[in-house]
Amino acid sequence: MPNARRALLLVNRRARSGPDRGREAADRLRARGLELVEEWPDRPAAFPRLINRHREAVDLVVVGGGDGTLGAAAEGLLAADLPLGILPLGTANNVARTLGIPAELDAACEIVAAGRERRIDLGRVNGRHFLTTASLGLSVEITRRLSHDAKRRLGPLAYVVTAARTLGEVRPFRAEITWPGGAVRSRTVQIVVGNGRYYGTALPVAEDAEIVDRRLDLYSMEIRRWWEALLLLPALRRGSHGERPEVRTLRAPWFEIRTYPPQRIGIDGELGPTTPARFDVLPSALRVICPP
């Protein structure tokens, strides 16, 4: 593999198919000529420390896990200026989907071994980086209720089951959203700020969102009754929800959001800080190994 023969392999032991497929991936990567340094932490929060430990000894970092696992590695990758190879071993795998990396393990390993790099944007909220989305409201409550066991047993269906149980209990909150040249007040049940194209169960943040467009896409779901969210589902699946009057969409390089009451922020499917918050895009910040 040109310019990258020695790789740090980080596998999230708690990823849906991490242990079994991670070992299989290690064998496949070695068979393609990579020399591996392996780390198998229980907590993705350890990734930046492990990347820093091995940064002088490796040419790239290969991460096996889902979107939250990849997001946890971002800080260490930025500091080390090392490229990221992706093994989609999580539940949703929206980063891999956005970049065209297949879920089939052998094909993903082939892409890592080929070593073709591109630079992608990163999102940042209150100092925390995200690859896919940062959100408030309904999706955060779904994340809070979604158990690790349910994700392991049901896969992406776990999101649907948990959403159905949560929807009737979610309550609107007030938000003030500011961006370059504008400001608005909103009464909403969910705000999603996207860096990439997909989040959740492969839902598009916007129909034309890209992870290299140097901007963030925001939508606010301003419904009054829980069942109105059901009517929005077809548009949410298509990414055309911005055409609906109960959905506000914005696009900008940064947003500042204040909410009443304060809201917890979900970052790449993991629970993060609370509002108020500033969301930024970091253009072309991360080196990633992708398909041609």
Side-chain angles (χ1 to χ4, degrees), residues 173-232:
F173 58 93
R174 290 180 294 140
E176 295 179 0
I177 306 170
T178 306
W179 66 96
V184 69
R185 292 183 177 181
S186 170
R187 185 175 183 271
T188 181
V189 298
Q190 174 165 279
I191 296 174
V192 175
V193 180
N195 172 57
R197 176 168 294 184
Y198 300 106
Y199 74 103
T201 53
L203 300 174
V205 180
E207 205 166 17
D208 58 347
E210 297 288 349
I211 204 166
V212 292
D213 58 11
R214 310 172 76 87
R215 63 193 181 190
L216 299 174
D217 288 273
L218 177 151
Y219 83 79
S220 173
M221 189 188 299
E222 299 172 357
I223 61 175
R224 299 288 179 173
R225 302 168 186 84
W226 68 267
W227 51 263
E228 293 178 89
L230 301 177
L231 302 180
L232 280 173

Side-chain angles (χ1 to χ4, degrees), residues 25-273:
D27 293 340
R28 292 178 183 274
L29 291 170
R30 286 194 179 94
R32 287 170 168 82
L34 273 74
E35 298 177 13
L36 297 182
V37 178
E38 296 184 38
E39 296 279 4
W40 296 69
D42 291 324
R43 296 170 55 252
F47 282 10
R49 173 177 55 81
L50 294 171
I51 292 170
N52 183 62
R53 176 190 298 171
H54 297 287
R55 62 186 295 177
E56 301 298 332
V58 300
D59 302 296
L60 77 157
V61 178
V62 182
V63 176
D67 298 322
T69 301
L70 296 172
E75 181 182 347
L77 291 164
L78 288 176
D81 191 29
L82 288 169
L84 167 66
I86 297 173
L87 302 177
L89 305 182
T91 304
N93 300 313
N94 286 309
V95 177
R97 183 176 287 105
T98 294
L99 294 172
I101 297 170
E104 201 277 314
L105 188 59
D106 191 65
C109 289
E110 183 65 35
I111 289 167
V112 171
R116 298 182 180 90
E117 281 189 35
R118 69 186 295 197
R119 284 190 172 269
I120 65 170
D121 302 339
L122 266 182
R124 181 175 59 188
V125 52
N126 287 3
R128 289 269 304 271
H129 297 100
F130 63 94
L131 285 158
T132 58
T133 57
S135 58
L136 297 76
L138 174 61
S139 61
V140 177
E141 185 62 19
I142 293 170
T143 297
R144 191 181 67 80
R145 298 184 182 200
L146 188 61
S147 70
H148 176 71
D149 180 63
K151 288 197 291 184
R152 185 176 293 277
R153 286 187 296 106
L154 301 176
L157 183 60
Y159 288 95
V160 178
V161 173
T162 307
R165 293 172 176 170
T166 305
L167 192 55
E169 300 175 25
V170 72
R171 296 293 178 266
F173 58 93
R174 290 180 294 140
E176 295 179 0
I177 306 170
T178 306
W179 66 96
V184 69
R185 292 183 177 181
S186 170
R187 185 175 183 271
T188 181
V189 298
Q190 174 165 279
I191 296 174
V192 175
V193 180
N195 172 57
R197 176 168 294 184
Y198 300 106
Y199 74 103
T201 53
L203 300 174
V205 180
E207 205 166 17
D208 58 347
E210 297 288 349
I211 204 166
V212 292
D213 58 11
R214 310 172 76 87
R215 63 193 181 190
L216 299 174
D217 288 273
L218 177 151
Y219 83 79
S220 173
M221 189 188 299
E222 299 172 357
I223 61 175
R224 299 288 179 173
R225 302 168 186 84
W226 68 267
W227 51 263
E228 293 178 89
L230 301 177
L231 302 180
L232 280 173
L233 280 176
L236 287 168
R237 296 296 302 179
R238 293 191 302 268
S240 61
H241 45 278
E243 301 170 6
R244 298 291 296 265
E246 62 268 57
V247 178
R248 184 190 306 273
T249 59
L250 300 167
R251 181 168 282 170
W254 60 261
F255 296 100
E256 291 183 352
I257 301 179
R258 294 182 176 273
T259 64
Y260 309 92
Q263 296 289 313
R264 192 83 179 267
I265 301 169
I267 301 176
D268 285 333
E270 305 291 332
L271 296 176

